[in-house]
Amino acid sequence: MADPTTAPVPSDHIMGVYARAPLAFERGEGSRLYTADGEAYLDCMAGIAVTALGHSHPKLVQAVKDQADKLWHTSNIFRIPNQEKLATLLTDNTFADVAFFTNSGTEAIECAIKTARKYHWAKGQPERIDIIGFEGSFHGRTLAAVNASGNASYLEGFGPPMPGFVHLPYGDHEALKAAIGPTTAAILIEPVQGEGGARSLPVSCLRGLRELCDEHGILLIYDEIQCGLGRTGKLFAYEWADGAGDPDIMAVAKALGGGFPVGACLATAEAAKGMTPGSHGSTYGGNPLAMAVGVASVEELVKPELLDHVREVAGYFSQQLSGLKDRYPDVVVDIRGKGLLIGVKLGTPNREFMQHARDNHLLIAGGGDNCVRLLPPLTLSLDEAREAIGLMEKACEAAQAKAAKDKVGAA
Ligand SMILES: *Cc1c(COP(=O)(O)O)cnc(C)c1O
């Protein structure tokens, strides 16, 4: 087998759905990843907002080890004590009354969509099936999730669009009001967009969405798979509306297992009233191994001092990145997002910029609208943040030099 650390082309036995960087890691610790030959990288993407507590967090490692020794899997036909514990932890700390556990974000979205439709069905309004979504959204890769987000390139070739999904421009209040009708079931939105370019919904919109849903008797679904669990400096991004923008249903995942595949669909008891025995299920969802990690992870993520830390580091990034925008105006054109879900919109190609960052041993994520995203572990220290900014500056220099060279080449 070719060495995956250096081979320019990945294995042709892997389905070719990813354009992978020719780089592999052997271990991680905190905010660092290490290649097999010991090269260190500063990880400011955290596996796309997954390893929120950093790599090899001692409590998560211990939780997996302890549970692995005892019991991996039973079945949801039995009670699973840690599932009940994690559900209580999540509902005590949110708007929700109940949780359904999944193995991924997209399955949490599936459950959210099904819960919303079943709610109206149970109320005697089975015609209410439409889920209103927004341009630039991302909800995962199952068929329902790609139909919900409506991104044309993710839908192409996968058959006709499914009925029951409506897409509107982002931030067009009038279009939204006009789109709500007798077949509307729910509005589905990310309070802070992830893949779509880190656009953050103003708090006034969170309130406005809640009012609109109440007025029309429809459900509000938040996709907090990326922006939830501390990333914006509150446990969940909807909390920035201080109770006036609570959803009925919410999908979470990513940081929930800190790298172990765990997701959840949270709902009020009212919104979940159609989800009766037999209406939904999952073999693995909520199994003992996953739940042991989920409990350990959420117990850390709810700590107020961690959320204070996120806000502090986020303030530093925001200030320093606007400095980079002033110094490299052709490279950095906009800073967006909220907390440690940071979008940097570029004037040069984002894929090239990610390579410049990697050349300097800094890992960042891509994003829509020619953004790169910084999604560091929430535990990133201020010193590491300073280091990240220094490396971002080097990447800006490289991008500027490359743009100047391309210009000469074109002339
Ligand atoms: C990652 C993500 C998903 C999909 O999660 P998977 O675990 O990849 O299925 C859905 N919505 C948002 C906002 C995400 O960031």
Side-chain angles (χ1 to χ4, degrees):
M1 195 181 91
D3 177 1
T5 321
T6 51
V9 183
S11 161
D12 51 7
H13 299 300
I14 300 286
M15 197 181 277
V17 297
Y18 278 99
R20 292 171 197 267
L23 187 58
F25 298 102
E26 188 182 60
R27 70 188 174 88
E29 201 183 316
S31 308
R32 308 270 165 192
L33 280 168
Y34 299 88
T35 62
D37 47 15
E39 294 276 318
Y41 286 72
L42 183 60
D43 183 5
C44 281
M45 60 180 283
I48 323 280
V50 168
T51 50
L53 297 169
H55 299 283
S56 308
H57 188 283
K59 293 214 170 126
L60 301 198
V61 172
Q62 201 57 49
V64 179
K65 284 183 174 167
D66 290 348
Q67 191 62 42
D69 280 338
K70 280 192 283 191
L71 180 66
W72 290 25
H73 181 85
T74 52
S75 162
N76 280 308
I77 68 167
F78 304 111
R79 287 180 68 170
I80 297 172
N82 268 335
Q83 193 181 112
E84 295 177 20
K85 186 169 177 186
L86 184 55
T88 304
L89 256 176
L90 289 170
T91 54
D92 280 354
N93 283 288
T94 62
F95 71 96
D97 302 308
V98 292
F100 177 85
F101 291 101
T102 66
N103 316 290
S104 66
T106 199
E107 286 169 274
I109 289 291
E110 287 278 338
C111 181
I113 294 169
K114 288 176 75 175
T115 302
R117 287 186 177 172
K118 203 70 187 271
Y119 163 80
H120 294 291
W121 177 88
K123 272 180 64 181
Q125 292 188 294
E127 69 284 359
R128 286 198 177 272
I129 64 157
D130 291 341
I131 309 292
I132 298 179
F134 299 89
E135 278 166 16
S137 65
F138 180 75
H139 301 300
R141 297 292 199 148
T142 57
L143 266 178
V146 289
N147 275 275
S149 81
N151 181 330
S153 66
Y154 293 171
L155 278 162
E156 188 181 38
F158 297 121
M162 281 184 188
F165 295 97
V166 176
H167 305 106
L168 301 177
Y170 190 81
D172 185 339
H173 298 184
E174 292 317 310
L176 176 57
K177 282 178 191 153
I180 298 173
T183 59
T184 306
I187 294 172
L188 168 59
I189 192 163
E190 298 155 86
V192 186
Q193 283 186 345
E195 312 295 314
R199 284 179 293 188
S200 174
L201 210 61
V203 162
S204 59
C205 288
L206 298 177
R207 293 203 191 100
L209 285 169
R210 182 65 270 168
E211 283 167 17
L212 206 55
C213 287
D214 288 343
E215 188 186 325
H216 294 276
I218 59 175
L219 299 177
L220 181 56
I221 307 173
Y222 286 151
D223 179 344
E224 290 222 21
I225 291 168
Q226 187 158 153
C227 65
L229 288 166
R231 181 128 313 260
T232 68
K234 297 259 189 194
L235 186 60
F236 288 99
Y238 75 82
E239 291 174 31
W240 288 100
D242 287 325
D246 288 12
D248 301 289
I249 302 174
M250 181 167 75
V252 293
K254 292 205 160 95
L256 188 54
F260 199 94
V262 192
C265 173
L266 306 180
T268 62
E270 171 68 9
K273 71 182 180 189
M275 300 303 270
T276 50
S279 58
H280 196 51
S282 168
T283 297
Y284 290 129
N287 89 356
L289 198 47
M291 295 297 98
V293 193
V295 167
S297 174
V298 173
E299 280 176 348
E300 292 301 307
L301 292 167
V302 297
K303 289 187 174 163
E305 56 272 28
L306 178 65
L307 300 177
D308 289 344
H309 176 76
V310 169
R311 290 198 283 262
E312 187 186 359
V313 176
Y316 173 80
F317 268 117
S318 150
Q319 183 199 9
Q320 295 297 313
L321 288 169
S322 43
L324 288 184
K325 180 170 173 269
D326 293 340
R327 292 201 290 285
Y328 301 91
D330 299 334
V331 180
V332 176
V333 298
D334 190 23
I335 313 294
R336 312 166 169 175
K338 196 159 187 129
L340 291 179
L341 199 175
I342 304 166
V344 180
K345 185 173 159 68
L346 299 172
T348 60
N350 61 349
R351 297 280 142 195
E352 279 179 23
F353 191 92
M354 287 163 69
Q355 182 60 51
H356 295 313
R358 274 200 301 274
D359 292 344
N360 287 286
H361 287 209
L362 173 70
L363 304 174
I364 53 177
D369 202 24
N370 202 40
C371 284
V372 289
R373 276 171 300 159
L374 275 74
L375 303 160
L378 307 184
T379 50
L380 189 85
S381 70
L382 268 178
D383 277 346
E384 288 167 334
R386 254 186 290 279
E387 187 184 339
I389 289 294
L391 299 174
M392 281 292 284
E393 174 133 31
K394 286 190 178 162
C396 286
E397 274 166 24
Q400 197 174 51
K402 170 80 167 42
K405 206 171 124 202
D406 288 351
K407 213 167 172 182
V408 172

